[in-house]
Amino acid sequence: LIDAAIVRRILTLTGVEHPPGCWCFAGSSGRGESLTKLAPHLLVLLGEGDDEVAARDAYHHVLQALEECDYLPRDLGFDTTFYVASTDEWTTRYRDWVRDPIRQDMSRARTLFDLRPVHGRRALWQDIDAAVMAHVDRDFLHVVANDCLTSVPPLTFFHDAVVDSEGEHVSTFRLEHSALRPLVDVGRVFALATGKVLSRSTLERFATARATFPEHEKIFREAADTFRVVLWQQGRVGISRGTSGADLPPALLSRHDRHVLKAGFRSILRLLEFTADRAWLGKL
């Protein structure tokens, strides 16, 4: 809410109180899960007749102003010019990602499937939401479900080190990569599978999955509990240290924190195993 209010205020201060198109948040910002100083992930959907040059100028002014507000830069999958385009262009992009996710390198765009309107004409966002769901099929779901296996949680903590999935001892807990990402990615898969995707939070996505697969309710409930713990840790460490909270030294975790996280790692593995088994696709 604060990020959205700041973006709207920046637009007003730069003389663009009514900018063209629909301004959206993507990624963790789009899911409502950005709790640290990380800059909001902005993109713009333009309608017919909107001035693209003016929109690009406004977009870059906002990005510069966010830096002056002391936000941390966010790693993006594409150049900044990519994120301002017409709804026709965005529709084509999403269609290509869904139809051919491997050759179109959909993995670079996965955070764009977490899209929430924050300012402007919401109808443009609704057009994109409908276009995405019109093209989702089981082959696409199988690919994105398999992609979730690229990030797995560590095995455990040992003193002030993390034992990763290969048994190596490392000094940094990659919280976002090895704990948050697999939960977020699986949540997105089941949102796509159930037809409720773009603006939903990870917890809302797990709730929908529980309702869709009641016989596996425990898997999704434990995943939601683990997500709350991991996101809280990211917010706690990121806010206190002025970072994104993506990585943290295990020394910052209490004995209780480690115990809870280790139980969470097991929940993530059970969730990934369930997602990798194509049997659930047959129950849709």
Side-chain angles (χ1 to χ4, degrees):
L1 291 173
I2 292 171
D3 288 346
I6 288 174
V7 166
R8 287 192 290 266
R9 184 59 179 158
I10 288 171
L11 286 166
T12 300
L13 292 173
T14 54
V16 196
E17 189 169 358
H18 301 290
C22 179
W23 291 59
C24 301
F25 284 171
S28 59
S29 304
R31 299 187 305 271
E33 297 163 4
S34 186
L35 304 182
T36 64
K37 292 174 59 178
L38 202 59
H41 185 351
L42 269 175
L43 64 79
V44 182
L45 314 172
L46 297 175
E48 185 177 354
D50 284 335
D51 187 337
E52 185 169 338
V53 173
R56 290 186 184 278
D57 286 345
Y59 182 80
H60 288 292
H61 281 310
V62 172
L63 294 187
Q64 292 170 2
L66 289 174
E67 287 185 24
E68 295 175 16
C69 290
D70 204 26
Y71 276 101
L72 297 172
R74 181 187 289 267
D75 292 331
L76 301 176
F78 303 92
D79 183 82
T80 55
T81 57
F82 180 87
Y83 294 104
V84 180
S86 68
T87 51
D88 287 343
E89 175 63 24
W90 280 112
T91 299
T92 299
R93 292 171 179 175
Y94 279 104
R95 182 197 63 202
D96 291 345
W97 286 325
V98 172
R99 286 183 175 177
D100 195 354
I102 297 176
R103 284 189 291 185
Q104 295 297 326
D105 199 9
M106 181 266 178
S107 60
R108 295 176 61 199
R110 67 181 68 183
T111 58
L112 299 181
F113 286 77
D114 309 326
L115 197 64
R116 175 166 58 99
V118 295
H119 192 59
R121 305 204 303 278
R122 184 183 177 91
L124 298 175
W125 171 86
Q126 292 172 331
D127 291 342
I128 298 297
D129 187 39
V132 171
M133 294 315 308
H135 293 98
V136 169
D137 58 21
R138 293 192 178 189
D139 289 338
F140 172 69
L141 291 172
H142 176 60
V143 172
V144 293
N146 188 67
D147 283 348
C148 294
L149 302 178
T150 59
S151 300
V152 296
L155 297 176
T156 189
F157 297 101
F158 183 74
H159 296 308
D160 285 336
V162 180
V163 183
D164 66 19
S165 58
E166 302 297 325
E168 297 292 329
H169 290 217
V170 292
S171 59
T172 300
F173 174 30
R174 299 174 66 194
L175 179 147
E176 183 166 309
H177 175 81
S178 61
L180 266 181
R181 182 180 295 178
L183 291 165
V184 167
D185 286 350
V186 169
R188 186 183 300 114
V189 168
F190 284 100
L192 287 161
T194 54
K196 298 177 180 179
V197 56
L198 290 187
S199 67
R200 298 299 181 100
S201 71
T202 301
L203 290 175
E204 289 173 327
R205 291 167 172 177
F206 284 147
T208 299
R210 286 202 305 273
T212 306
F213 304 97
E215 67 275 25
H216 301 289
E217 184 272 343
K218 183 179 179 182
I219 291 175
F220 294 106
R221 175 170 45 81
E222 290 180 349
D225 292 342
T226 298
F227 180 79
R228 290 186 178 93
V229 170
V230 176
L231 189 64
W232 184 84
Q233 288 289 353
Q234 183 185 50
R236 178 183 72 87
V237 173
I239 292 170
S240 65
R241 296 171 69 90
T243 69
S244 68
D247 303 309
L248 61 98
L252 296 178
L253 298 170
S254 68
R255 182 177 180 181
H256 175 71
D257 288 336
R258 298 182 191 206
H259 177 75
V260 172
L261 283 168
K262 285 190 287 186
F265 297 159
R266 294 189 290 272
S267 297
I268 295 172
L269 285 175
R270 285 192 289 271
L271 179 71
L272 290 173
E273 290 169 357
F274 175 79
T275 307
D277 184 349
R278 296 185 66 175
W280 62 268
L281 283 169
K283 299 179 181 179
L284 291 175

